[in-house]
């Protein structure tokens, strides 16, 4: 068997040499070495994305995945163990969640009075994302340099990977850290795999060690995000089309990885209830995949109007004629590449890597976001390795003077960097992101709601309500959107109008504790104490230690003159949250109504020991003592 090294490109070549090997100019020696190129990749990546350190968490899944993740508040061995044995929020990615759990306690916590929620400062999370993306860019440079054996083509490919605008979503979004973590371990796995392949025919100890390390890193990539199931396909594309090893060699090496990928895919399938419910005919799936590939090629070349949700749902693709013809674009590109560039190993491998990295998210196997959108910029994160390989091929093979090639490459990278710098501020906070998203996709119900939330948080309730109504118009069966409208109506003084909206929210999701509590509060405001009992009891059933829900249930029971039950409820509240003076005062009032004035006086005295200036407790104590006399 021919050793792989015999089929590689020429030995390491200085960047001042033209594609045909004739020198045209030379860089200063201190620049013309891999270390200098690696420094440039790292510094430019940090410089362009450094502003993310000042960004906030957003309402786009950061709350669910990080700040209000019940397994992080607080972080315990048991809560972390749960994430290793269960999926969360439709995904099984325990390594990423373990990193977030580790970062949370290192930040300065902010306790919300009365809510019990703990929010973490985002700077550390964004800092880790920035470092991960920088490390990934360096890994891409190292991998490309090992493959093409030319410093500056490899550097340019790494910079394209690092600075392309589609990478903003993964880097600037805290929830997008799973792409960075999975990408980091996936790239390490690919690096060691190529090392093992280089030495594979000789069966050296170094090759075996490299393969073991590659497998370990691949497992970590899988446990960081299920999209790492694409890594064996990427490795096969590099091995077969570039390294040109025989299929028997790379199949033997990758079969264990494929088995691991299938296992993780099965776990993910069973942990994602939404994915299991998606019913997509087999004959439609290639059209969905073809349309997605056409979309990704367009965003690769013209990365404008980038958003979180493009609204390109599987229903939309199926219901339009263009959904059945867009596959022609990627098919035509593939045909041209295969027939015009059969001998161009790096070009073919780069194109194959681009497609291979996307395969898990093309819709051949339905996944949970397809009902919303079949495409997303974050799915391109690792696929940009393939784009970097294609750019490295262009710089190596274009028959142009070195200065011209370098100038064209610099112009391309400057163009993409400019778009990235324009894209980054959209991710600064929820308001900016929702504003940008609504302009891209006005039918994105989540963005309509998030925009309304920001307006409501600044007191602009009248301005926020139309956005909440628009979200419900788009997705009327969403309990969260109903909840936010009901909350805004109540806060604006329209408790009567809020009640039916909140009733709809709890009908859609009976375990929606916040909506049940809010509905109970609204009914109490409108004098319907008896009606308020049912939603508050349901809230307590779901969250028995929720002090606010238990307290309001006690108020409702007292209002309905069910005084013994109200007394029991208030005593329970004090076992859940002993530092809740309003519950003690309510207990005192209930005891008074039952004629148990001595006990009421004792309760009021306990309040005054801690809060001597509590006027209501003073009046209650006077009433109780007077009644005793």
């Amino acid at each position: 068997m021919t050793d792989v090294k015999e089929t590689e490109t020429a030995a390491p070549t200085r960047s001042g040499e033209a594609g045909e090997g004739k020198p045209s100019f030379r860089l200063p020696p201190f620049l013309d070495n891999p270390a200098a190129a690696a420094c440039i990749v790292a510094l430019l990546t940090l410089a362009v994305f450094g502003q993310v350190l000042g960004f906030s968490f957003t309402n786009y899944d950061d709350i669910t995945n990080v700040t209000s993740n019940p397994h992080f508040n607080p972080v315990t061995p048991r809560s972390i163990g749960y994430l290793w044995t269960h999926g969360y929020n439709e995904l099984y990615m325990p390594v990423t969640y373990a990193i977030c759990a580790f970062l949370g306690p290192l930040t300065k916590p902010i306790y919300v009075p009365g809510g019990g929620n703990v929010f973490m400062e985002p700077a550390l999370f964004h800092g880790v994302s920035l470092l991960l993306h920088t490390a990934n860019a360096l890994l891409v440079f190292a991998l490309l340099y090992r493959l093409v054996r030319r410093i500056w083509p490899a550097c340019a490919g790494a910079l394209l990977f690092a600075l392309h605008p589609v990478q903003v979503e993964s880097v600037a979004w805290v929830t997008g850290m799973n792409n960075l973590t999975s990408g980091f371990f996936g790239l390490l796995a690919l690096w060691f795999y190529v090392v093992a392949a280089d030495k594979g025919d000789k069966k050296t100890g170094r090759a075996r060690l490299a393969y073991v390390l590659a497998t370990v890193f691949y497992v970590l990539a899988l446990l960081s995000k299920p999209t790492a199931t694409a890594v064996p396909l990427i490795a096969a594309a590099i091995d077969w089309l570039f390294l040109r090893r025989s299929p028997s060699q790379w199949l033997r090496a990758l079969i264990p990885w494929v088995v691991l990928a299938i296992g993780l895919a099965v776990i993910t399938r069973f942990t994602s209830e939404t994915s299991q419910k998606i019913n997509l005919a087999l004959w439609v799936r290639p059209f969905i995949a073809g349309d997605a590939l056409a979309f990704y090629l367009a965003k690769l070349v013209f990365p404008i109007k980038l958003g979180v949700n493009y609204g390109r749902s599987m229903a939309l693709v199926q219901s339009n004629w263009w959904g059945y013809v867009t596959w022609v674009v990627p098919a035509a590109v593939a045909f041209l590449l295969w027939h015009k560039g059969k001998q161009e190993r790096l070009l073919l491998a780069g194109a194959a890597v681009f497609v291979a990295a996307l395969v898990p998210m093309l819709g051949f196997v339905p996944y949970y976001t397809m009902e919303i959108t079949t495409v997303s910029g974050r799915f391109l994160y690792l696929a940009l390795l393939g784009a970097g390989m294609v750019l490295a091929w262009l710089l190596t093979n274009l028959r142009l003077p070195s200065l011209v090639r370098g100038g064209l490459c610099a112009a391309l990278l400057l163009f993409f960097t400019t778009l990235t710098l324009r894209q980054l501020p959209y991710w600064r906070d929820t308001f900016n992101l929702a504003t940008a998203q609504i302009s891209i996709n006005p039918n994105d119900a989540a963005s309509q709601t998030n925009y309304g939330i920001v307006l409501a948080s600044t007191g602009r309730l009248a301005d926020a309500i139309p956005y909440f109504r628009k979200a419900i118009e788009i997705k009327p069966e969403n309990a969260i959107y109903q909840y936010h409208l009901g909350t805004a109506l109540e806060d604006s003084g329209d408790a009567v109008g809020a009640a039916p909206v909140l009733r709809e929210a709890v009908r859609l999701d009976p375990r929606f504790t916040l909506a049940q509590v809010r509905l109970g509060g609204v009914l109490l405001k409108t004098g319907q104490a008896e009606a308020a009992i049912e939603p508050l009891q349901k809230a307590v059933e779901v969250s028995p230690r929720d002090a606010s829900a238990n307290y309001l249930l006690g108020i409702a029971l007292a209002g309905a003159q069910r005084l013994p039950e109200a007394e029991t409820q208030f005593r329970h509240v004090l076992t859940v949250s002993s530092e809740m003076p309003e519950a003690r005062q309510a207990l005192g009032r209930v005891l008074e109504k039952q004629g148990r004035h001595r006990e009421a006086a004792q309760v009021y005295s306990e309040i005054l020991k801690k809060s001597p200036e509590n006027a209501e407790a003073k009046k209650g104590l006077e009433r109780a003592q007077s009644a005793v006399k």
Side-chain angles (χ1 to χ4, degrees), residues 49-105:
F49 285 95
Q51 60 182 285
V52 302
L53 295 174
F55 288 8
S56 302
F57 292 115
T58 71
N59 283 355
Y60 291 82
D61 286 349
D62 287 349
I63 307 302
T64 302
N65 287 325
V66 182
T67 60
S68 293
N69 187 325
H71 307 292
F72 296 165
N73 295 319
V75 175
T76 64
R78 183 176 181 180
S79 67
I80 299 304
Y82 178 91
L83 293 172
W84 279 90
T85 55
H86 298 76
Y88 176 74
N89 198 26
E90 305 281 354
L91 287 174
Y92 179 72
M93 47 183 197
V95 168
T96 298
Y97 282 131
I99 293 172
C100 291
F102 174 76
L103 295 177

Side-chain angles (χ1 to χ4, degrees), residues 355-407:
V355 176
L358 292 168
V359 165
M361 308 308 293
L362 289 180
F364 292 113
V365 178
Y367 54 91
Y368 71 102
T369 64
M370 288 183 68
E371 290 185 333
I372 302 171
T373 180
T374 59
V375 292
S376 178
R378 61 187 178 274
F379 298 157
L380 279 166
Y381 188 77
L382 202 53
L384 263 289
L385 168 62
M389 293 170 68
V390 172
L391 179 59
W393 174 84
L394 286 170
L395 291 175
T396 304
N397 290 274
L398 279 180
R399 295 183 178 276
L400 293 172
S402 297
L403 281 174
V404 175
R405 282 183 286 134

Side-chain angles (χ1 to χ4, degrees), residues 106-288:
L106 298 180
T107 64
K108 180 181 178 182
I110 304 171
Y111 295 90
V112 179
N117 295 318
V118 180
F119 294 87
M120 295 162 278
E121 291 184 342
L124 185 58
F125 289 85
H126 284 301
V128 170
S129 292
L130 178 60
L131 291 176
L132 280 170
H133 184 55
T134 304
N136 290 342
L138 291 172
L139 284 170
V140 169
F141 168 71
L143 185 58
L144 290 179
Y145 182 57
R146 186 176 187 92
L147 294 175
V148 304
R149 306 291 179 165
R150 294 175 184 268
I151 298 171
W152 294 103
C155 178
L159 287 174
L160 177 63
F161 171 89
L163 305 179
H164 196 283
V166 298
Q167 305 293 49
V168 170
E169 183 175 343
S170 293
V171 182
W173 185 27
V174 169
T175 292
M177 187 189 293
N178 55 10
N179 302 296
L180 307 175
T181 309
S182 178
F184 175 69
F185 291 120
L187 287 166
L188 279 172
L190 289 170
W191 163 260
F192 282 106
Y193 179 87
V194 171
V195 171
D198 276 355
K199 302 291 183 182
D201 291 322
K202 297 180 180 179
K203 302 295 182 184
T204 64
R206 181 186 175 198
R208 286 192 290 271
L209 176 61
Y211 179 75
V212 170
L213 289 173
T215 303
V216 170
F217 285 125
Y218 177 55
V219 171
L220 291 172
L222 284 174
L223 297 176
S224 296
K225 190 177 182 181
T227 50
T229 50
V231 172
L233 297 176
I234 297 172
I238 294 173
D239 206 344
W240 182 34
L241 296 173
F242 186 79
L243 300 179
R244 297 291 174 93
R245 288 206 303 172
S246 66
S248 63
Q249 288 179 296
W250 56 262
L251 278 172
R252 187 168 59 249
L254 290 175
I255 283 176
W257 289 21
V258 173
V259 172
L260 290 169
I262 292 173
L264 195 280
V266 171
I267 292 172
T268 301
R269 185 73 174 173
F270 280 103
T271 56
S272 176
E273 294 182 6
T274 305
S275 297
Q276 296 175 46
K277 294 176 182 177
I278 294 178
N279 184 19
L280 187 62
L282 290 175
W283 70 269
V284 175
R285 298 182 189 187
F287 292 105
I288 298 289

Side-chain angles (χ1 to χ4, degrees), residues 395 404-415:
L395 291 175
V404 175
R405 282 183 286 134
L408 290 173
C409 177
L412 178 67
L413 292 175
L414 180 61
F415 170 69

Side-chain angles (χ1 to χ4, degrees), residues 595-617:
R596 294 156 61 185
H597 299 290
R598 290 185 185 277
E599 294 177 63
Q602 183 179 357
V603 170
Y604 291 131
S605 297
E606 291 175 359
I607 297 173
L608 291 171
K609 286 179 182 178
K610 296 182 179 180
S611 304
E613 302 302 319
N614 190 314
E616 185 175 347

